[in-house]
Amino acid sequence: MMGGQAKKVMLLPIVLKIWETLLSPFRQVDKRQLQHEIDTYRLFLLTSYNRLGGSGEELAKELQASADSKPFTTLQDEVQSNVHQQISAVSQMLDGILLKDGKIGEPLIKPRPSGLSFAVGHALPQVEREKVVKTNNLDRVEVAEKFYEHFGYTLLTKRSDINHVEAGEGLFLRGRAEPGVVVAFYPGVIYAPSQYRYLPGYPRVDRGNPYLISRFDGLILDGKSWGRGGDQREWWEGGNSHEFDPPELSSDASEAGDRREQMWESVTGAKKLDVPVEGSLLERRNPLAFGHFANHPPKGRKPNVMICPYSVPIGDDSVRPYVPNVILRLKEEQMERRGLLWIKEGRSEDDENGSQIRHEIRTLVLVATRVLENEELLLNYRLSAYMRRPQWYFPVDEEEDRRRWE
């Protein structure tokens, strides 16, 4: 277990780096980038500590010295490597209990629907082949129990301990997880900045949907459609499970579909767009695919997890089924961030029209920032200080919030 003194030693360089940057007379401070570098530094310490079987202050000091000597891009790469190592171990364990004889069958031709976006030439090339995987007949609860037996922790959702009406369900860790452990994936559909207009309810995307989260690079993940997953490995194209819909929209699907869409349009003022999603064969029983249930800490409490960017190649069959995210089948346009806005800027090397094809899934995972044991997981939402924030939101660190959005 990491002691209190070790924690202080590991955090001290972060404070020094902030002051060094703020006081530098030789360059203008990009505060948003600064916060990104602080987060990456901390993630390097946490995930490396875990990878090396962390114990004691000496290891913490060694990691601190190592981090201080490496450029930011190297720290990013090592964080990615540390996280991928953990996720590979999770994937191997789940393969062991879910795959029949550990075998993957012959490729299946998966037809794709066509649409207007294909006609105008903005769709990604079709991915024709998908592996057929026969899995054992285990439900979500059984998979979570076997995961707990192997790793010593699992996740569950229940009424939050936070005392405000909007807290709703919270995310809880059952068992024990050490600092630096990946404890959850953030599931759902991923939208690039050039694709924001396709978010449900655009431009008022947050109305009726508290399951949105943004990465530093502007990608938005919408976890609402994932719900609580499912009880099988299936082809998933981001379809809404409707389990979080208001009661008046939750009748049987035959005639409810039109009413649901009409109600959505009347509430949000936005018409639902027919957006092609690049589906994938995903394991809906993933016991860690619940990051969208994590609440912001109430006043007087600190977060115990932090977000960490994670990317995996689309063709990585060993890990991809357990990464609970899909992307739009639309090419990304190159965007530049200006304040709170993303503006189309120049052209990409990938496409003469300024579009980019992505060959990886860029998502988020939640990493434990201390020892966790049978408790609710709390994530600092870092809501923008430049917009009206809900009454229940108490900043963990107002300066961090401002740097994140400047």
Side-chain angles (χ1 to χ4, degrees):
M1 180 186 301
M2 190 187 304
Q5 290 299 319
K7 293 180 188 175
K8 291 179 182 178
V9 170
M10 294 174 76
L11 292 177
L12 180 60
I14 296 176
V15 178
L16 294 177
K17 284 188 114 179
I18 294 173
W19 279 104
E20 179 185 0
T21 308
L22 292 177
L23 296 177
S24 172
F26 303 107
R27 64 187 179 102
Q28 184 177 359
V29 176
D30 182 342
K31 294 184 179 180
R32 188 166 176 272
Q33 177 64 28
L34 172 61
Q35 188 59 54
H36 184 40
E37 292 182 11
I38 292 170
D39 291 342
T40 302
Y41 188 102
R42 190 180 184 198
L43 286 165
F44 171 81
L45 296 176
L46 287 166
T47 59
S48 298
Y49 194 87
N50 177 267
R51 176 175 57 84
L52 297 172
S55 177
E57 294 184 16
E58 287 304 314
L59 176 58
K61 291 178 180 179
E62 290 176 15
L63 287 174
Q64 173 190 321
S66 175
D68 289 340
S69 67
K70 294 178 178 179
F72 169 65
T73 53
T74 300
L75 294 181
Q76 279 187 307
D77 291 343
E78 295 201 21
V79 169
Q80 168 79 12
S81 176
N82 292 342
V83 169
H84 186 70
Q85 181 176 310
Q86 290 191 48
I87 291 176
S88 294
V90 167
S91 302
Q92 290 174 16
M93 177 269 160
L94 291 173
D95 273 353
I97 64 170
L98 288 172
L99 294 187
K100 289 182 179 293
D101 302 322
K103 295 180 180 179
I104 298 177
E106 293 300 316
L108 169 74
I109 300 299
K110 179 66 181 180
R112 299 286 200 274
S114 60
L116 176 62
S117 49
F118 300 114
V120 298
H122 290 300
L124 292 176
Q126 293 189 22
V127 179
E128 296 290 349
R129 300 163 74 86
E130 183 66 29
K131 304 288 184 175
V132 177
V133 180
K134 294 182 179 180
T135 62
N136 293 314
N137 189 25
L138 300 172
D139 62 26
R140 283 177 291 179
V141 175
E142 292 171 312
V143 173
E145 189 62 30
K146 290 183 179 295
F147 187 91
Y148 173 79
E149 292 171 2
H150 186 89
F151 286 104
Y153 73 94
T154 191
L155 299 177
L156 57 96
T157 61
K158 62 180 181 179
R159 179 69 188 177
S160 174
D161 291 337
I162 300 173
N163 188 26
H164 69 73
V165 66
E166 293 185 47
E169 285 186 280
L171 180 61
F172 290 79
L173 184 130
R174 172 191 165 208
R176 177 187 172 98
E178 299 296 323
V181 168
V182 173
V183 293
F185 290 87
Y186 203 101
V189 182
I190 302 171
Y191 297 82
S194 62
Q195 301 166 346
Y196 286 173
R197 63 188 181 277
Y198 297 106
L199 278 159
Y202 180 84
R204 307 192 67 176
V205 297
D206 60 337
R207 178 175 286 189
N209 186 1
Y211 302 102
L212 300 170
I213 194 170
S214 173
R215 289 182 20 141
F216 173 81
D217 56 11
L219 294 179
I220 290 180
L221 281 64
D222 181 3
K224 183 177 181 181
S225 58
W226 182 264
R228 294 177 181 81
D231 284 319
Q232 61 184 337
R233 184 171 296 197
E234 62 184 1
W235 186 265
W236 192 66
E237 295 179 322
N240 198 332
S241 65
H242 301 304
E243 62 182 303
F244 300 135
D245 281 349
E248 62 269 21
L249 301 183
S250 300
S251 57
D252 290 339
S254 57
E255 70 177 75
D258 291 339
R259 291 195 299 110
R260 184 178 287 120
E261 187 166 331
Q262 292 168 6
M263 176 70 77
W264 182 257
E265 291 178 19
S266 67
V267 169
T268 64
K271 187 171 181 62
K272 184 175 182 289
L273 298 174
D274 184 16
V275 182
V277 173
E278 184 63 54
S280 185
L281 191 63
L282 300 183
E283 183 50 71
R284 298 273 280 159
R285 292 165 290 187
N286 184 343
L288 300 186
F290 291 93
H292 53 315
F293 283 96
N295 273 316
H296 180 79
K299 188 175 183 179
R301 294 177 66 182
K302 297 293 184 181
N304 51 23
V305 295
M306 67 182 295
I307 61 173
C308 174
Y310 172 66
S311 299
V312 60
I314 290 175
D316 188 341
D317 293 333
S318 64
V319 171
R320 180 67 183 101
Y322 301 105
V323 178
N325 304 96
V326 290
I327 58 178
L328 301 192
R329 295 191 65 205
L330 303 172
K331 292 180 181 178
E332 293 182 27
E333 295 178 349
Q334 188 174 0
M335 307 289 282
E336 184 82 13
R337 190 177 186 276
R338 301 286 181 84
L340 297 178
L341 301 177
W342 288 87
I343 309 296
K344 186 174 180 179
E345 192 73 22
R347 292 185 174 184
S348 167
E349 296 178 357
D350 299 283
D351 187 279
E352 61 180 8
N353 295 318
S355 298
Q356 305 173 65
I357 297 177
R358 290 294 179 184
H359 302 286
E360 59 185 6
I361 299 296
R362 295 169 293 163
T363 184
L364 290 170
V365 295
L366 305 189
V367 172
T369 58
R370 59 169 174 80
V371 174
L372 303 174
E373 191 163 8
N374 297 318
E375 58 187 287
E376 183 168 2
L377 301 185
L378 302 174
L379 173 67
N380 183 3
Y381 283 6
R382 286 182 180 166
L383 299 185
S384 173
Y386 303 103
M387 302 178 69
R388 184 177 180 181
R389 299 186 288 200
Q391 292 183 344
W392 51 260
Y393 183 81
F394 294 94
V396 174
D397 185 321
E398 191 72 71
E399 286 303 311
E400 279 192 2
D401 289 1
R402 290 185 180 276
R403 284 194 298 269
R404 169 65 177 83
W405 296 103
E406 284 190 0

